[in-house]
Amino acid sequence: MWSGGGRGSSRSGGDLGLPGDGPGDGEGSGFSRGGADPGLSWSSGYPGPSGSGEDPGLSSADAEPGPWWSREATGFSPGGADPRSSGGGEEPLPPWGPPPAEPPTPATFPPGPTPPGFHAESLRGRTPKEPPGAAVPPRPTAPPHPAPPGAAASEDALPEPVLTVPHQPPPVDHVGSGPPTYDAEPTALPPADPDDLDDLVADTVLDGARYGASTLRAASVRGDSARFRGEPRRDSLLTARFGAGEHALVLVAMATGARATPGAHRAAAEACRWIGRAVGRSHARLAEDIRAARRGDLKSGLHRLTDRSLGKLRASAAEQGIEPEEYTAGLRCLLLTGDPECRTRVFFGVGDGGLFRLRDGEWQDIEPRVAETTGEAVVGFGSLPHETPEGDRLTMDLGITTPPSPYEPAPEPPREPFRFRASVARPGDTLLLCTGGLAEPLRGEPQLCEHLTERWSAAEPPGLAAFLADTQVRVKGYADDRTVAAVWEA
């Protein structure tokens, strides 16, 4: 038992009652400084068992004991004596620390936890943590791969991983004859009204999803001209899902407001909301017609929904006291189903834009053509002949227009023709729906088609960031807003 505290304390043998205490053991706790074990030696920094006050670990009696972890305080010495034996006999192990089977010369420890902020180079050459007694495999004396000529091989050099990436051209800023006139990044923000902050429109909108066998990417970006002049984006984009599972219906709607009108962005956003509400209320019937390939029912039904939506837009213009032609928008929509077995894609809308398909490495312009029947009368196409069968000449039309009657309402401006197309996609196809801001450069600049072909012909569709970069590839002479939706077929 330990008695006293400090350098003057002494120990009396046999008080701890450890197993194996007897005449051949040391005094007190069984520790002695005269053991013959070459592996470990314990000296507590306190007086020895004889009570003489001498400490063999100190140079003089006046020296103070060092820190508790120092060699002088712990008495740990690889070449010292083992206090657990006296007279050469084996002693039972203390309950707090079983010694190793043989002296650890030299003592090795497994690597501890890696501190924060470490570098990967600091881990080179380190061995993983091994269980006790496990054999450590020999380290290679040569690098696994031959070093290049003139370079010194290192024993700790590890093979660098090789990642094979399919060839894909990097994104570019512009294509064509030269760089565009405007800067590539936004310059000025649109003006804001503190009492109508909901009227603000973001410069860029990005969205995406995956349903069934198709992957959708959609983006709307303000044009270079509007970015430079500080005008709001006239294009609006709406992506919505109605229903769930295989009965889900995905709608992508994009609208473009009239050019040079103050409320163009509001008219485009309102057109998207009206058509989204109309499609959402009829989504169950529309999804069923798409799966059953009822082309006639789809065309007539979507035509009615489009007319109603644009009619409400004209009514809104009348409420605001604006001319209908100043508060209008072109509307283009795409419908997809959540059924993986259904690959029918339905396009409908009014106004300019483009519908393209990338198949087998070639772009196809599949925009529905609308028959134009306006203009001057043409002989053989609805006009009267110059004379009757009897040879009588008809009176010449002098082209004098009849003034409008004050009792009849003014005729409405001619409406845009309705466009509709239902197509069946093949695995590997890419369907592209866009407004005029991208349709015009696609039709007018072959290098843009070639660039998008290389970028979008990979096995996997691009991510959102890569898709946005592809849609922003600029062409000199085309600076309008761009709204794009692309569908990749698995």
Side-chain angles (χ1 to χ4, degrees):
M1 180 175 71
W2 295 87
S3 63
R7 301 183 52 83
S9 62
S10 62
R11 292 172 291 177
S12 59
D15 290 338
L16 289 179
L18 297 177
D21 288 346
D25 298 333
E27 294 287 332
S29 63
F31 291 101
S32 66
R33 294 179 175 82
D37 189 344
L40 296 174
S41 172
W42 296 83
S43 64
S44 64
Y46 291 89
S50 61
S52 61
E54 294 183 358
D55 190 350
L58 300 176
S59 59
S60 64
D62 296 334
E64 293 294 334
W68 63 271
W69 63 83
S70 63
R71 179 175 300 179
E72 290 78 1
T74 60
F76 179 79
S77 175
D82 189 356
R84 295 168 298 174
S85 63
S86 176
E90 292 278 343
E91 181 187 7
L93 302 179
W96 55 81
E102 54 186 34
T105 54
T108 59
F109 299 89
T114 305
F118 76 99
H119 298 281
E121 289 78 8
S122 63
L123 298 181
R124 295 183 180 272
R126 292 181 59 175
T127 59
K129 184 175 181 180
E130 297 288 344
V136 179
R139 296 180 58 80
T141 57
H145 299 282
S154 174
E155 290 185 357
D156 295 339
L158 297 178
E160 296 294 338
V162 179
L163 179 62
T164 303
V165 179
H167 173 70
Q168 190 176 23
V172 297
D173 176 71
H174 66 274
V175 295
S177 58
T181 305
Y182 299 102
D183 294 336
E185 300 299 332
T187 303
L189 291 172
D193 183 0
D195 297 327
D196 191 13
L197 295 179
D198 293 338
D199 192 52
L200 295 177
V201 181
D203 177 89
T204 303
V205 176
L206 184 63
D207 205 351
R210 177 176 296 177
Y211 287 100
S214 59
T215 300
L216 172 66
R217 298 287 183 264
S220 183
V221 183
R222 189 163 55 137
D224 292 346
S225 176
R227 285 177 167 180
F228 178 78
R229 302 176 187 276
E231 299 174 353
R233 175 168 48 90
R234 293 185 297 115
D235 280 6
S236 181
L237 173 65
L238 171 68
T239 54
R241 172 182 63 87
F242 306 102
E246 296 182 356
H247 301 282
L249 182 67
V250 178
L251 167 68
V252 181
M254 54 187 70
T256 303
R259 190 184 301 273
T261 56
H265 61 288
R266 288 189 293 269
E270 190 173 348
C272 289
R273 286 194 298 268
W274 282 121
I275 193 64
R277 183 176 302 179
V279 170
R281 292 174 176 175
S282 306
H283 75 275
R285 177 64 182 275
L286 290 172
E288 181 181 353
D289 290 344
I290 293 176
R291 288 195 298 268
R294 302 188 184 105
R295 187 179 183 279
D297 295 344
L298 285 170
K299 183 176 181 179
S300 60
L302 293 174
H303 194 176
R304 287 195 302 269
L305 296 181
T306 305
D307 283 346
R308 291 175 185 174
S309 301
L310 296 180
K312 293 183 178 181
L313 196 63
R314 289 189 292 269
S316 178
E319 293 177 359
Q320 302 177 37
I322 306 175
E323 294 295 332
E325 59 271 13
E326 296 181 3
Y327 197 78
T328 184
L331 182 63
R332 307 176 65 82
C333 303
L334 184 66
L335 292 178
L336 314 170
T337 64
D339 188 356
E341 301 299 328
C342 179
R343 291 186 180 268
T344 303
R345 313 300 179 222
V346 177
F347 157 75
F348 68 96
V350 296
D352 296 333
L355 182 64
F356 305 91
R357 180 171 57 200
L358 179 60
R359 174 175 290 178
D360 299 330
E362 294 183 358
W363 282 104
Q364 303 172 0
D365 191 345
I366 58 176
E367 174 77 11
R369 304 302 178 189
V370 179
E372 297 289 345
T373 58
T374 60
E376 294 289 339
V378 181
V379 175
F381 193 77
S383 61
L384 297 175
H386 291 286
E387 59 184 17
T388 63
E390 292 78 13
D392 296 333
R393 294 277 181 175
L394 300 178
T395 304
M396 180 181 297
D397 186 7
L398 300 178
I400 301 176
T401 59
T402 304
S405 173
Y407 304 102
E408 296 180 0
E412 295 182 359
R415 300 181 182 180
E416 291 282 349
F418 179 74
R419 303 171 188 264
F420 174 88
R421 185 183 185 94
S423 60
V424 179
R426 299 178 185 175
D429 285 356
T430 300
L431 185 65
L432 177 65
L433 175 66
C434 58
T435 57
L438 184 62
E440 293 178 3
L442 276 174
R443 296 187 177 109
E445 181 53 60
Q447 291 187 14
L448 181 60
C449 295
E450 296 174 0
H451 177 73
L452 293 182
T453 300
E454 295 177 353
R455 293 282 299 172
W456 292 355
S457 296
E460 293 293 331
L464 292 179
F467 177 76
L468 179 61
D470 295 337
T471 57
Q472 292 188 105
V473 176
R474 303 184 300 154
V475 181
K476 187 175 182 179
Y478 303 93
D480 286 341
D481 299 345
R482 293 183 179 182
T483 302
V484 190
V487 180
W488 279 262
E489 303 293 339

